Amino acid sequence: MNITFAKKALPKGGALALTVFDGSALGPLGESLNKRTKGVLKEAMKAAEFTGKKGQSVEIIAARGTSIDRIILFGLGKPADLTPNGAQTLGGRFVNANIGKTKVVSLAVDLPKGVAMNEADVAANLAFGASLGAYRFNKYHTKLKANEKPKLNKVTMLVDDLVEARAAWKPLHHLSDGVILARDLVNEPANVLNPKDFAARCKALGDLGVKVKVLGEKQMGELGMGSLMGVSRGSANEAQLIIMEWMNGPKDEKPVAIVGKGLTFDSGGISLKPGAGMEDMKGDMGGAAAVTGLMSVLAARDAKVNVVGVVAAVENMPDADAQRPGDIVTAMSGHTIEVINTDAEGRLVLADAMYYTATQYKPKKMVDLATLTGAIVIALGHDQAGLFTNSDMMAEELLAASKASGEGLWQMPLNDVHRKNVKSKFADLRNSTGRDAGSSCAAAFLEPFSNKVAWAHLDIAGTAFAAPHNPMCRSWGAGYGVRLLNQWLTDTVEEK
Ligand code: BES
Ligand code: MN
Ligand code: ZN
């Protein structure tokens, strides 16, 4: 989506969005158009029983006396609803209204007046919602009908101060690009995005100044990553540990580390998953996608932070050489692990990726993101990820960032019952524990591999993909986590 800003001037052709608060009158632009059309706007509002309630809209086509193809009135609800997140949702509504299905290619937006936010922030947040809301992943549809392929490709915010509006948009533009990068990665099928393909996409961030290093299986073997490599054994695609450094903060400051589960496909391995829905497991790299999207945002907006992003890209397949239930592997940390279920592979991969990151970088804080358990989807559904942490401070920070960014997060327990449950009869740990508290036990399994670094685990199995559509996301892959962690870094570690 091409976002532009213009001084208040009426567009010629295209569509115009007018915004109306609940029970309030048209703004100056609406009034003047109503006059010019001899009352058409108000007649339409009345006929449609439009009062400005949140979610209401009326579309007026080819209003005589104007050069505008479509005028759309959007109900905003109460002025207090127009927070930054509220403005983002509204921007998403603009591009997903009926005009999205028409031939209209451009939309001008008359901004709401009389709100607490300044005009530049309203415009920038609307633009952010519009660009995310307009995102589609249709590159593999070769025969889309015209009405299935949105034509709208330009949104113009009508503002007083162009300089201020463009400055407010800049960081949000980079953030939107990062979310879109993450969505693209999640949506891409596993035959197009195997671990090496993933590494190639990460290497492209070199153009932004991110330092990218990739370890193959030979190097991982030398480091003793038996847990990660056990998962990869059944796959013809070599695993890759991708390390992205963005060290743009104070020289002597320890980095923050973000680690992502990157199962480019999770068949379950020998503990093969049932067929129904298995295709969704191309999205089992949602954590890795968020890490990649986040690193691109930090570099694009030149964030003054030291952050290392680590992606463990692996494919879990059944094969004559695949690992078996009952196998015992040794992780880089020295822990032995009994593989009860080869489908509980995410924790096996993260064990080595997290321990490598903790020991190599000694980060001051570490966050991992992983589509780790089906149980978290049962517990929290699709709008909140599960938060597990050994640090009360990180819990507080991340929950605050969730509120500010609008990406849902809910803290879940991690205690000695769960820690006891991951002990194995034959080895130090077992990777599967039965049905009770499945997400907490998965977190308890990961904990030792954080090597006592302040650590938080985000189980994003419900939020990374297949969430119900909303105005800002009409895509299967959600790009969850990029906004949350960008907010968290901005509020907690970034030099102002
Ligand atoms: N990738 C899955 C978890 C998942 C399920 C993500 C649904 C997204 C949607 C993970 O590797 C897995 O298979 N977990 C098992 C663990 C069990 C065998 C202990 C699960 O949740 O069933
Ligand atoms: Mn699995
Ligand atoms: Zn998995």
Side-chain angles (χ1 to χ4, degrees):
M1 182 58 64
N2 181 9
I3 303 284
T4 61
F5 299 89
K7 291 261 190 185
K8 310 209 179 255
L10 267 190
K12 287 207 173 56
L16 171 70
L18 296 174
T19 50
V20 182
F21 284 112
D22 193 5
S24 67
L26 286 171
L29 180 58
E31 277 297 344
S32 87
L33 283 170
N34 186 58
K35 214 174 254 165
R36 212 164 351 132
T37 58
K38 300 198 175 71
V40 162
L41 269 66
K42 287 191 180 167
E43 272 173 41
M45 285 165 74
K46 201 166 163 209
E49 297 178 36
F50 175 94
T51 56
K53 280 201 181 58
K54 203 172 177 174
Q56 281 184 330
S57 65
V58 190
E59 194 167 356
I60 301 150
I61 299 168
R64 74 185 101 84
T66 73
S67 57
I68 306 165
D69 293 338
R70 286 165 194 262
I71 296 170
I72 310 119
L73 293 157
F74 284 94
L76 301 187
K78 303 272 175 279
D81 293 343
L82 207 75
T83 56
N85 288 326
Q88 292 176 12
T89 305
L90 182 61
R93 279 177 59 205
F94 288 162
V95 295
N96 285 306
N98 199 28
I99 43 166
K101 302 185 194 93
T102 68
K103 281 189 287 193
V104 170
V105 294
S106 71
L107 170 74
V109 179
D110 183 46
L111 302 183
K113 310 284 179 305
V115 292
M117 283 165 74
N118 73 43
E119 188 190 60
D121 288 333
V122 174
N125 281 286
L126 286 171
F128 183 71
S131 43
L132 289 185
Y135 171 85
R136 299 288 184 278
F137 185 79
N138 51 22
K139 65 192 264 202
Y140 297 112
H141 281 129
T142 63
K143 294 183 172 58
L144 268 194
K145 293 194 210 83
N147 67 348
E148 293 165 339
K149 207 160 198 161
K151 292 271 185 299
L152 186 69
N153 60 26
K154 184 174 163 190
V155 176
T156 304
M157 302 292 160
L158 303 176
V159 294
D160 282 325
D161 191 328
L162 292 176
V163 175
E164 237 186 78
R166 288 191 183 121
W169 168 232
K170 205 171 169 209
L172 286 177
H173 189 184
H174 294 313
L175 183 56
S176 140
D177 284 349
V179 176
I180 286 171
L181 169 58
R183 286 181 182 176
D184 277 340
L185 291 168
V186 174
N187 285 324
E188 209 60 91
N191 61 328
V192 174
L193 195 75
N194 67 33
K196 281 196 171 143
D197 300 313
F198 203 118
R201 302 240 187 160
C202 292
K203 281 182 194 153
L205 300 190
D207 293 348
L208 296 169
V210 179
K211 217 170 105 192
V212 186
K213 195 166 79 181
V214 179
L215 307 186
E217 287 188 3
K218 184 167 179 291
Q219 286 151 300
M220 289 191 252
E222 284 160 11
L223 287 163
M225 295 190 174
S227 185
L228 185 156
M229 288 175 65
V231 174
S232 184
R233 258 179 64 175
S235 172
N237 293 305
E238 186 186 341
Q240 309 275 284
L241 191 72
I242 307 155
I243 301 130
M244 294 172 271
E245 291 180 9
W246 176 253
M247 300 293 196
N248 198 35
K251 284 234 163 349
D252 49 357
E253 199 174 279
K254 293 228 160 13
V256 169
I258 320 284
V259 182
K261 170 177 172 181
L263 267 288
T264 57
F265 189 72
D266 175 16
S267 68
I270 295 300
S271 314
L272 192 64
K273 286 182 180 295
M278 203 205 273
E279 68 279 9
D280 278 1
M281 286 301 117
K282 71 172 184 176
D284 206 19
M285 31 53 71
V291 172
T292 311
L294 177 70
M295 296 311 287
S296 82
V297 177
L298 298 176
R301 66 179 185 80
D302 198 33
K304 302 285 180 260
V305 289
N306 294 328
V307 176
V308 54
V310 175
V311 162
V314 185
E315 188 178 57
N316 186 21
M317 296 291 266
D319 178 81
D321 191 42
Q323 85 177 340
R324 295 149 290 249
D327 284 4
I328 295 176
V329 294
T330 304
M332 183 184 170
S333 63
H335 291 88
T336 55
I337 303 164
E338 185 186 8
V339 179
I340 301 290
N341 187 321
T342 66
D343 195 15
E345 85 299 335
R347 63 199 79 181
L348 296 173
V349 165
L350 283 171
D352 281 333
M354 279 171 50
Y355 185 79
Y356 171 85
T357 308
T359 51
Q360 204 72 23
Y361 289 91
K362 306 203 168 30
K364 57 177 182 184
K365 296 171 192 175
M366 179 159 73
V367 176
D368 80 84
L369 299 109
T371 47
L372 203 65
T373 65
I376 203 72
V377 194
I378 306 300
L380 298 179
H382 292 284
D383 22 56
Q384 285 165 311
L387 163 68
F388 305 81
T389 180
N390 60 13
S391 156
D392 290 344
M393 182 184 67
M394 284 181 76
E396 204 174 296
E397 292 173 357
L398 287 162
L399 292 169
S402 159
K403 229 180 193 162
S405 67
E407 289 200 303
L409 189 63
W410 192 262
Q411 188 170 5
M412 300 286 286
L414 166 54
N415 63 38
D416 286 345
V417 175
H418 312 123
R419 293 183 184 105
K420 200 171 150 210
N421 207 4
V422 294
K423 291 193 189 323
S424 154
K425 189 159 44 152
F426 294 105
D428 298 335
L429 293 163
R430 55 176 182 168
N431 78 330
S432 177
T433 51
R435 288 170 57 85
D436 291 2
S439 305
S440 290
C441 292
F445 178 95
L446 293 178
E447 189 178 42
F449 303 99
S450 64
N451 206 33
K452 302 215 160 71
V453 168
W455 157 78
H457 158 60
L458 309 184
D459 193 335
I460 63 170
T463 52
F465 53 76
H469 286 172
N470 65 57
M472 275 166 71
C473 186
R474 298 284 302 270
S475 156
W476 183 79
Y480 178 93
V482 178
R483 282 174 280 171
L484 174 76
L485 294 184
N486 181 65
Q487 185 81 46
W488 174 61
L489 291 170
T490 303
D491 294 346
T492 60
V493 297
E494 195 161 350
E495 292 279 297
K496 296 290 171 348

